[in-house]
Amino acid sequence: MKTIYFVRHGESVWNTLDKICGQNDSPLTDRGREQARATGAQILASGIQADIILYSSLSRAAETAQIISEMTGIPAMEEPRLMEQCFGRFEGTSPRNAPEFVEAKKRFADSYDGGESMFRLAQRIYNLLDDLKTDPRTCILVAHNGIARVINSYFYDMTNEEYASFGVKNASVTEFTFSE
């Protein structure tokens, strides 16, 4: 069975401000860099054998991936499909768990007035996962919480409420296994 690993980027400036980042580029904090180093050490200690790290082009994910790559020796390459979802009118707003935003995430065809709908995001990420399923390499994906949500929905059934509230911690490692 084929396994992939997902790492959410380290803490960003907008994470500390409780702002919705989306495709806005918010850099890592010093704590975020420390988290990335700890994740690199965790990958080494756990014996994860990966061939490549694929990462989002947004700086918070790219820097996290580069730190992990330098620590582990696993080559890293940008993968445009891992870009975070564009949340349109919600980008830069706060708090991230505002009731209006939580409800909007349950409307999968809603593009948030100029953003990207959940359906379009899922197509982009599901296509990537379908490609990775047949790729002989073992990959570590470094991206965003919104991407983690979609990846989780690819592997596990989720209600709309579970989907809208799903999240992973900064710099956490999650393992996913493709079924045959």
Side-chain angles (χ1 to χ4, degrees):
M1 296 225 278
K2 173 147 170 109
T3 299
I4 61 168
Y5 300 90
F6 178 84
V7 174
R8 182 180 176 198
H9 61 77
E11 178 187 78
S12 73
V13 171
W14 277 20
N15 289 155
T16 66
L17 299 174
D18 198 28
K19 289 187 174 195
I20 298 166
C21 295
Q23 291 185 357
N24 283 287
D25 213 355
S26 177
L28 290 180
T29 61
D30 289 340
R31 181 170 185 246
R33 288 180 196 90
E34 290 171 20
Q35 290 172 327
R37 285 189 285 278
T39 300
Q42 176 189 352
I43 289 169
L44 286 170
S46 68
I48 291 174
Q49 297 293 313
D51 300 301
I52 192 159
I53 298 169
L54 301 175
Y55 62 88
S56 161
S57 62
L58 293 171
S59 68
R60 58 193 183 269
E63 186 176 0
T64 300
Q66 292 301 326
I67 291 169
I68 294 169
S69 175
E70 289 168 9
M71 291 187 67
T72 62
I74 302 167
M77 182 176 78
E78 184 179 308
E79 170 48 71
R81 292 177 286 184
L82 288 172
M83 171 83 73
E84 177 63 292
Q85 180 176 10
C86 179
F87 293 113
R89 73 178 187 276
F90 291 106
E91 296 213 7
T93 64
S94 184
R96 289 182 291 178
N97 64 351
E100 182 185 8
F101 182 57
V102 170
E103 285 304 309
K105 288 193 294 184
K106 296 177 191 175
R107 296 188 301 267
F108 294 162
D110 186 353
S111 63
Y112 313 109
D113 297 329
E116 179 181 26
S117 73
M118 293 290 178
F119 284 138
R120 287 191 177 101
L121 173 65
Q123 178 183 9
R124 173 164 54 93
I125 299 303
Y126 282 18
N127 287 347
L128 171 62
L129 293 170
D130 286 345
D131 290 347
L132 294 178
K133 186 175 184 175
T134 59
D135 189 318
R137 301 174 297 178
T138 299
C139 300
I140 297 173
L141 310 178
V142 180
H144 312 276
N145 206 35
I147 304 305
R149 184 179 302 117
V150 177
I151 291 173
N152 196 71
S153 76
Y154 181 94
F155 288 94
Y156 305 104
D157 288 339
M158 302 171 78
T159 66
N160 288 356
E161 289 75 20
E162 289 168 335
Y163 182 90
S165 65
F166 182 83
V168 296
K169 294 183 182 198
N170 289 107
S172 64
V173 179
T174 308
E175 181 178 322
F176 294 98
T177 302
F178 292 98
S179 59
E180 299 287 343

